[in-house]
């Protein structure tokens, strides 16, 4: 497409956008009486208008049914997660049996590593991306120590080449192959939080499994953002949070994926709790843990009804939008337009003031564009916020702008570019 950096052009794209109406399903934060252009859905998605209704509904159930709410009412809490599983599956490319909402993300990362990081003599290493989200680094380090290894020996990090910001797939695959039979686990992000790079998850899965390792993904920045085919790619396990691109609210519930090929493996360790026990027999309260079949068998504590209600409300919006494919189409055009607009700003300034570190190829990125300002980055970022454009700042020097196809418009992108130019002219 030939883009133009004009308001009329941006509005013409919005006019032709079949998803433009979904913006009305969300509430926007305001400052000085006007709504923000919200480009921070990669950190905390906006509140769906339906959120308040579903919470009220559950408060009413609690009021009217109290303990009987577990088995009575329109959707008893005992089986409530099943409604979510039906909608989570299509979002990540899995069957309903392979996914389950539970806990929060880092907790699930630990629980899944208990099952799938099984170091044995000689095969104990974990390979991950360098500069992974800190929570993942801490979780992996502590798991390695828990098994009696030194993170310095056991963790292999794949880093970008000197002078580059993103990883080359060939380098990732080569580093995996190099580990040979010392590699126990590949644990990568789906989309990197800092650069917005979407890794070739299928190729990574194949490479890890080819040398006998288990392959898992943290999909915090990928779920609800890019199309995933976890089952078909033969990924062993994955987990994600739902409060970023999936708009389930701060501290929202996490989701897990376990490939069905593992369902019958009775050798897997689990940190068990009563809610993972076989559903039919759960209330017999018998001794000796017998897991429910499928991902549900990894549940530990009872259903978190309020966070699940919020996630359900948001998943219903995805269902209405046709799940991920229509969103992905719009998302590619939104980020391409943002690339264009930023390059136009550079041209007007006669200077490579803004360096984009997100991959140029739209197949290697999700809905995020990360930029480094050559000069006065923090000051420019603060002025964007003061002028009602809310992206975020990531130390040491990156501005992340994330146009989300459910609620951002092409006009949002155009206005962000206009403001970047105006602010740059003021401060440089
Ligand atoms: C956002 C994010 C987290 C956050 O974990 P919580 O347990 O939900 O606080 C973890 N890992 C990655 C990769 C993230 O992007």
């Amino acid at each position: 497409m030939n883009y133009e950096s004009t308001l009329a052009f941006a509005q013409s794209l919005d006019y032709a956008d079949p998803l433009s109406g979904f913006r009305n399903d969300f509430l926007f934060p305001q400052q000085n009486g006007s709504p923000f252009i919200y480009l921070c859905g990669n950190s905390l998605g906006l509140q769906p208008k339906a959120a308040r209704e579903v919470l009220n509904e559950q408060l009413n159930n609690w009021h009217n049914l109290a303990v009987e709410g577990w088995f009575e009412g329109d959707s008893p809490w005992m089986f409530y997660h099943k409604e979510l599983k039906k909608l989570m599956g299509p979002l990540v490319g899995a069957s309903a049996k392979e996914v389950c909402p539970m806990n929060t993300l880092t907790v699930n990362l630990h629980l899944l590593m208990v099952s799938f990081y099984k170091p044995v003599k000689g095969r104990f290493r974990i390979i991950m991306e360098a500069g992974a989200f800190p929570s993942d680094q801490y979780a992996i380090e502590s798991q390695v120590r828990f098994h009696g290894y030194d993170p310095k020996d056991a963790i292999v990090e794949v880093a970008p080449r000197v002078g580059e910001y993103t990883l080359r797939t060939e380098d990732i695959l080569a580093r995996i192959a190099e580990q040979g039979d010392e590699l126990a686990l590949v644990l990568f992000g789906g989309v990197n939080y800092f650069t917005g790079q979407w890794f070739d998850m299928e190729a990574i899965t194949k490479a890890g499994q080819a040398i006998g390792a288990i392959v898992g993904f943290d999909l915090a920045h990928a779920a609800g953002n890019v199309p995933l085919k976890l089952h078909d790619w033969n990924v062993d396990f994955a987990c994600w949070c739902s409060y970023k691109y999936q708009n389930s609210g701060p501290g929202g519930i996490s989701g897990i994926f376990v490939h069905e090929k593992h369902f019958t493996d009775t050798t897997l360790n689990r940190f068990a709790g009563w809610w993972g026990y076989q559903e039919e027999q759960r209330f017999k309260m018998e001794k000796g843990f017998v897991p429910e079949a499928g991902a549900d068998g990894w549940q530990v504590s009872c259903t978190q009804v309020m966070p699940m209600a919020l996630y359900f409300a948001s998943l219903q919006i995805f269902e209405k939008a046709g799940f991920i494919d229509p969103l992905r189409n719009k998302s590619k055009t939104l980020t391409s337009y943002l690339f264009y607009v930023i390059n136009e700003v550079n041209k007007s300034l006669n200077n490579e003031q803004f360096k984009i570190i997100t991959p140029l190829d739209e197949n290697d990125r999700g809905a995020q564009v990360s930029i480094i300002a050559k000069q006065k980055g923090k000051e420019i970022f603060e002025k964007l916020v003061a002028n009602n454009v809310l992206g975020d700042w990531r130390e040491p020097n990156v501005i992340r702008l994330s146009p989300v196809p459910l609620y951002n418009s092409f006009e949002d992108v155009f206005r962000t570019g206009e403001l970047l130019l105006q602010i740059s002219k003021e401060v440089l």
Side-chain angles (χ1 to χ4, degrees):
M1 199 186 307
N2 289 319
Y3 295 119
E4 293 169 34
S5 196
T6 64
L7 180 59
F9 178 80
Q11 287 174 337
S12 74
L13 289 181
D14 286 327
Y15 186 74
D17 168 19
L19 298 172
S20 60
F22 282 97
R23 195 175 166 87
N24 295 324
D25 287 348
F26 293 90
L27 296 167
F28 286 76
Q30 308 224 334
Q31 176 175 254
N32 306 326
S34 1
F36 272 103
I37 291 178
Y38 193 72
L39 299 177
C40 226
N42 56 344
S43 191
L44 182 69
L46 290 180
Q47 182 182 140
K49 286 179 182 164
R52 202 172 289 268
E53 280 163 44
V54 295
L55 282 184
N56 263 329
E57 205 178 296
Q58 294 303 342
L59 287 171
N60 289 338
N61 287 342
W62 180 18
H63 171 171
N64 293 317
L65 302 166
V67 71
E68 297 199 303
W70 285 105
F71 291 99
E72 305 287 328
D74 295 338
S75 59
W77 300 325
M78 176 73 184
F79 311 109
Y80 192 56
H81 65 298
K82 296 188 185 194
E83 298 302 315
L84 279 76
K85 283 155 61 80
K86 284 185 215 150
L87 303 184
M88 291 161 72
L91 257 194
V92 296
S95 72
K97 272 194 181 159
E98 290 172 312
V99 295
C100 192
M102 62 180 80
N103 313 312
T104 43
L105 173 55
T106 312
V107 170
N108 285 337
L109 205 53
H110 277 296
L111 293 175
L112 290 167
M113 286 182 76
V114 163
S115 297
F116 292 107
Y117 176 51
K118 298 182 291 181
V120 289
K121 202 166 172 2
R123 188 188 276 280
F124 63 100
R125 293 218 161 89
I126 302 179
I127 195 163
M128 64 187 292
E129 82 235 56
F133 193 84
S135 199
D136 298 42
Q137 296 184 37
Y138 308 147
I140 293 171
E141 269 174 35
S142 59
Q143 286 277 337
V144 161
R145 285 211 178 87
F146 174 74
H147 285 284
Y149 295 93
D150 181 346
K152 281 207 247 11
D153 300 330
I155 300 176
V156 179
E157 291 188 336
V158 190
R161 294 186 187 186
V162 176
E164 297 184 6
Y165 289 92
T166 50
L167 293 174
R168 298 194 194 193
T169 302
E170 64 200 87
D171 291 354
I172 301 173
L173 303 185
R175 287 304 298 283
I176 290 173
E178 250 171 60
Q179 308 309 314
D181 55 16
E182 293 188 347
L183 193 65
L185 177 66
V186 177
L187 188 45
F188 248 73
V191 171
N192 179 270
Y193 82 100
F194 193 70
T195 62
Q197 178 179 17
W198 180 19
F199 300 115
D200 187 339
M201 296 171 55
E202 187 177 15
I204 291 172
T205 305
K206 277 212 176 80
Q209 291 168 350
I211 53 168
I214 292 273
V215 181
F217 287 95
D218 182 329
L219 301 175
H221 283 263
N225 176 15
V226 291
L228 301 167
K229 296 200 169 68
L230 297 181
H231 178 90
D232 291 350
W233 293 341
N234 203 27
V235 168
D236 289 289
F237 71 92
C239 47
W240 55 92
C241 53
S242 59
Y243 51 78
K244 290 174 179 167
Y245 291 100
Q246 294 182 78
N247 316 310
S248 75
I253 198 138
S254 166
I256 70 157
F257 163 86
V258 177
H259 198 284
E260 84 178 334
K261 68 186 175 183
H262 295 298
F263 289 176
T264 51
D265 183 351
T266 51
T267 67
L268 293 176
N269 283 319
R270 300 184 202 222
F271 282 173
W274 71 320
W275 226 255
Y277 197 90
Q278 265 187 353
E279 191 180 290
E280 300 275 308
Q281 316 293 327
R282 188 177 299 155
F283 291 96
K284 291 195 175 154
M285 310 294 211
E286 283 179 352
K287 211 174 154 56
F289 181 73
V290 186
E292 171 67 2
D296 292 20
W298 270 265
Q299 295 175 99
V300 178
S301 293
C302 67
T303 296
Q304 296 158 264
V305 175
M306 298 297 165
M308 280 198 205
L310 290 170
Y311 190 19
F312 190 39
S314 155
L315 287 167
Q316 285 175 309
I317 300 176
F318 279 89
E319 183 184 28
K320 204 164 55 153
F323 291 106
I324 203 76
D325 290 340
L327 294 170
R328 174 64 176 164
N329 280 338
K330 176 176 174 185
S331 178
K332 283 181 183 174
T333 317
L334 271 175
T335 49
S336 299
Y337 190 46
L338 184 52
F339 267 63
Y340 172 84
V341 160
I342 292 166
N343 286 326
E344 289 300 297
V345 171
N346 283 338
K347 277 191 207 160
S348 300
L349 294 170
N350 243 332
N351 175 346
E352 287 292 305
Q353 162 66 5
F354 297 106
K355 180 178 177 62
I356 300 177
I357 62 167
T358 300
L360 183 60
D361 185 337
E362 62 185 19
N363 297 312
D364 296 337
R365 64 173 189 251
Q368 171 183 326
V369 178
S370 299
I371 57 180
I372 295 179
K374 210 187 236 172
Q375 300 172 63
K376 306 207 173 168
K378 193 79 188 273
E379 189 178 342
I380 290 170
F381 170 72
E382 280 162 5
K383 290 207 173 205
L384 279 175
V385 179
N387 285 282
N388 280 33
V389 171
L390 198 55
D392 75 0
W393 174 259
R394 276 289 168 265
E395 292 297 340
N397 57 0
V398 160
I399 298 173
R400 301 189 303 177
L401 302 171
S402 194
V404 170
L406 270 177
Y407 51 72
N408 285 118
S409 63
F410 292 91
E411 182 171 340
D412 288 346
V413 171
F414 167 76
R415 291 203 182 280
T416 301
E418 195 180 41
L419 196 60
L420 268 180
L421 180 60
Q422 184 194 316
I423 293 170
S424 300
K425 283 181 172 163
E426 278 168 31
V427 305
L428 297 181

